[in-house]
Amino acid sequence: MNITLKELITSFTKSIDLYNYLLKNHHRRTAIAAYHIGVQMGLSAERLSDLIIAASLHDIGALTISERDSLIQMDVENPFPHSSLGSYMLSSFSPFEKISRIIFYHHWHYDLDNTYVPELGPVPLESYILHVADRTDILVQPDYSILAQKQKIITKMQSYRGNVFHPEVIDAYLAQAQKDSFWLDIDNWDMETILGLGICDRYEITLTMDLLEEFALTLSKIIDSRSKFAISHSFGVSQVAYTIAKRMDYSQENCQKIRVAGLLHDIGKIAIATELIEKKEQLSETERADIRTHAYFTYLILGHISGLEGIVEWASGHHENHDGSGYPMNLADVGISQEMDIVSYADIYTALSEDRPYRPGMTTDRIIQILQDEFSSKHGEPVLQVILNNLDEIDMICKASVQVGISRFHCYQKLAEVQEQSIKGRVNR
Ligand SMILES: [Fe+2]
Ligand SMILES: [Fe+2]
Ligand SMILES: [Fe+2]
């Protein structure tokens, strides 16, 4: 593949920050503050790089508006679900092992066990830096001169030195935060600037298909975790699409690309409120229109990355129809490839088999009936025929994917519980 890991991480992180409906700019601003503190503390290029990426993604596990609202209070009541989930999402991408750990502890207080927690492992210094950067941005009032607020924020942050915040991190912060440029950088640097400064040479490696898939799997969790009804939807779509492609004798490389497209097809949902995705009542026309934008955002996010040709079209085209009634490009017959049909059928098959807030998952017979009656004119006969010929296998793969989702869910919940219990135990001792 003609793309480096550095380009992939830069592109994704930048676009996730741009389109994430909950966290617009907070990740970017926190990363800039963290960078300046990290430089002041003399972190190596490698540690600085991990710190910047961790800061650029740190609240990715916050799923709802109410959770986001709780995070913008100075004292977050229970930050563990989002820090555990964020950390868990990123842990499956091997280059992000350290980043995942930094995120896990990004609300940890210094006056607990401050370097090592027996039941959870070591606390990285970078987590304390991220915490200070994060709370600094939370204290900034938008639409009001940042320099006029500077001294008040510094005084407040300083008052937590040694209890909430690591004393050495606060000392480094004080050295940086006295400068106007620290605050003006937070306001003015864009994501590309900060990532360009921070992402070091070890990411300058050519991306392999396997590494791309590992990253896609990580990103798919960001979307799948947002709905308990679709806890393994993207994963299921990728597995079903791969199976269909295999049965259609696509080359191994193309089968794998189709699997990646399945993992990423709904990544544009990052731009849509979870409350809307989870809504039980019937959606209004405006709400349906809002949900429809996700296919466009999938295109926008993936389209920035050179080297993903094919995957971009197959992923973002999963709601296009042969009769021209689909979105976002209103393509018709000639514009729709068979790979797009494969992802579309895999999406519908998986979705119909899953429980939804307003209906239970459907039986295989019912799914087939719907595919034949409502979707064969939209996505063509050839792919449908392959599904019918391999029904047992596809059905089994679909059900197994749901189990993977459920066990993932239990795993991160357990982590959040352990983190919460261990903090409570320390506070009360
Ligand atoms: Fe957070
Ligand atoms: Fe945050
Ligand atoms: Fe979709």
Side-chain angles (χ1 to χ4, degrees):
M1 298 192 88
N2 205 11
I3 166 177
T4 63
L5 184 56
K6 181 175 173 171
E7 287 173 292
L8 180 77
I9 293 172
T10 308
S11 244
F12 263 114
T13 311
K14 193 177 88 182
S15 51
I16 281 180
D17 181 70
L18 268 178
Y19 307 126
N20 190 324
Y21 82 102
L22 277 175
L23 300 161
K24 285 199 173 82
N25 289 318
H26 172 61
H27 281 150
R28 176 184 65 82
R29 296 170 62 90
T30 304
I32 296 162
Y35 168 77
H36 283 305
I37 303 167
V39 168
Q40 181 71 32
M41 296 190 82
L43 293 194
S44 67
E46 193 165 313
R47 292 182 71 180
L48 213 45
S49 158
D50 284 343
L51 173 63
I52 287 171
I53 299 172
S56 307
L57 296 166
H58 70 278
D59 281 334
I60 204 79
L63 304 177
T64 61
I65 291 173
S66 55
E67 198 165 9
R68 166 71 186 145
D69 282 349
S70 79
L71 295 182
I72 57 178
Q73 312 302 320
M74 185 62 193
D75 301 304
V76 185
E77 206 176 304
N78 184 8
F80 308 113
H82 91 283
S83 54
S84 297
L85 178 58
S87 162
Y88 181 66
M89 283 167 179
L90 301 178
S91 63
S92 56
F93 186 50
S94 43
F96 278 8
E97 202 191 326
K98 176 79 183 289
I99 289 161
S100 158
R101 177 156 290 281
I102 296 172
I103 290 177
F104 186 70
Y105 283 110
H106 81 271
H107 286 272
W108 195 255
H109 289 196
Y110 178 76
D111 59 4
L112 304 171
D113 285 340
N114 52 50
T115 51
Y116 189 84
V117 185
E119 64 273 35
L120 294 165
V123 189
L125 176 69
E126 289 85 338
S127 300
Y128 292 113
I129 300 178
L130 175 50
H131 197 192
V132 168
D134 173 58
R135 294 299 96 183
T136 296
D137 184 46
I138 293 304
L139 289 173
V140 176
Q141 283 178 38
D143 309 321
Y144 178 56
S145 157
I146 197 166
L147 294 183
Q149 308 174 56
K150 166 182 147 179
Q151 209 48 54
K152 200 172 152 202
I153 297 172
I154 292 174
T155 308
K156 175 104 177 161
M157 293 296 290
Q158 204 171 5
S159 72
Y160 291 101
R161 184 185 184 277
N163 45 56
V164 174
F165 300 129
H166 195 303
E168 286 165 33
V169 174
I170 284 293
D171 294 344
Y173 167 78
L174 293 176
Q176 283 291 318
Q178 291 306 334
K179 308 175 197 170
D180 283 358
S181 59
F182 172 85
W183 301 92
L184 295 172
D185 286 346
I186 291 177
D187 263 0
N188 293 294
W189 280 4
D190 60 21
M191 197 61 153
E192 204 143 28
T193 307
I194 182 66
L195 288 170
L197 277 171
I199 297 184
C200 69
D201 297 345
R202 89 187 145 103
Y203 291 112
E204 205 69 83
I205 50 171
T206 306
L207 195 68
T208 61
M209 208 44 215
D210 287 343
L211 209 49
L212 172 66
E213 185 161 1
E214 227 183 69
F215 194 52
L217 182 65
T218 302
L219 293 168
S220 73
K221 288 186 196 165
I222 297 171
I223 295 304
D224 286 359
S225 310
R226 290 174 65 200
S227 168
K228 61 179 178 299
F229 298 98
I231 193 85
S232 56
H233 176 74
S234 305
F235 183 70
V237 172
S238 76
Q239 301 300 306
V240 171
Y242 178 80
T243 309
I244 301 171
K246 270 271 173 216
R247 297 294 157 247
M248 295 184 88
D249 291 330
Y250 277 85
S251 68
Q252 179 53 31
E253 191 190 344
N254 275 348
C255 288
Q256 205 176 355
K257 280 168 88 175
I258 288 172
R259 194 161 60 189
V260 171
L263 285 170
L264 295 175
H265 76 287
D266 272 345
I267 190 75
K269 283 191 177 162
I270 194 93
I272 315 240
T274 310
E275 283 78 354
L276 194 53
I277 294 168
E278 288 276 78
K279 194 169 172 185
K280 286 193 185 70
E281 300 77 33
Q282 207 177 9
L283 299 180
S284 69
E285 203 176 314
T286 316
E287 289 169 332
R288 275 203 304 277
D290 279 349
I291 292 218
R292 260 204 337 262
T293 61
H294 80 277
Y296 171 80
F297 280 106
T298 293
Y299 184 81
L300 214 54
I301 292 170
L302 303 179
H304 283 302
I305 304 160
S306 57
L308 288 193
E309 291 79 13
I311 293 174
V312 185
E313 289 76 24
W314 307 339
S316 61
H318 69 281
H319 291 291
E320 298 288 359
N321 299 328
H322 284 252
D323 59 12
S325 63
Y327 56 88
M329 313 280 188
N330 276 114
L331 299 176
D333 277 333
V334 278
I336 299 179
S337 63
Q338 192 163 63
E339 291 89 337
M340 279 160 75
D341 286 334
I342 294 175
V343 179
S344 300
Y345 272 118
D347 180 37
I348 300 161
Y349 192 101
T350 310
L352 295 178
S353 73
E354 292 161 349
D355 291 336
R356 285 289 178 266
Y358 45 87
R359 60 144 176 87
M362 294 180 190
T363 62
T364 311
D365 288 347
R366 180 80 186 115
I367 295 173
I368 290 306
Q369 196 190 351
I370 294 179
L371 290 185
Q372 285 173 324
D373 295 349
E374 295 175 32
F375 291 101
S376 60
S377 61
K378 291 179 173 159
H379 304 301
E381 284 290 340
V383 177
L384 179 58
Q385 207 48 55
V386 176
I387 295 174
L388 295 176
N389 294 345
N390 297 277
L391 204 50
D392 289 347
E393 186 185 11
I394 287 172
D395 198 50
M396 192 190 74
I397 281 170
C398 210
K399 290 195 170 103
S401 306
V402 175
Q403 288 312 313
V404 170
I406 292 169
S407 54
R408 271 184 196 166
F409 184 72
H410 289 313
C411 189
Y412 96 76
Q413 270 198 328
K414 188 79 214 155
L415 272 176
E417 262 167 43
V418 174
Q419 207 186 23
E420 195 181 343
Q421 291 309 324
S422 69
I423 212 167
K424 275 187 187 151
R426 282 169 178 75
V427 170
N428 295 334
R429 77 190 167 190

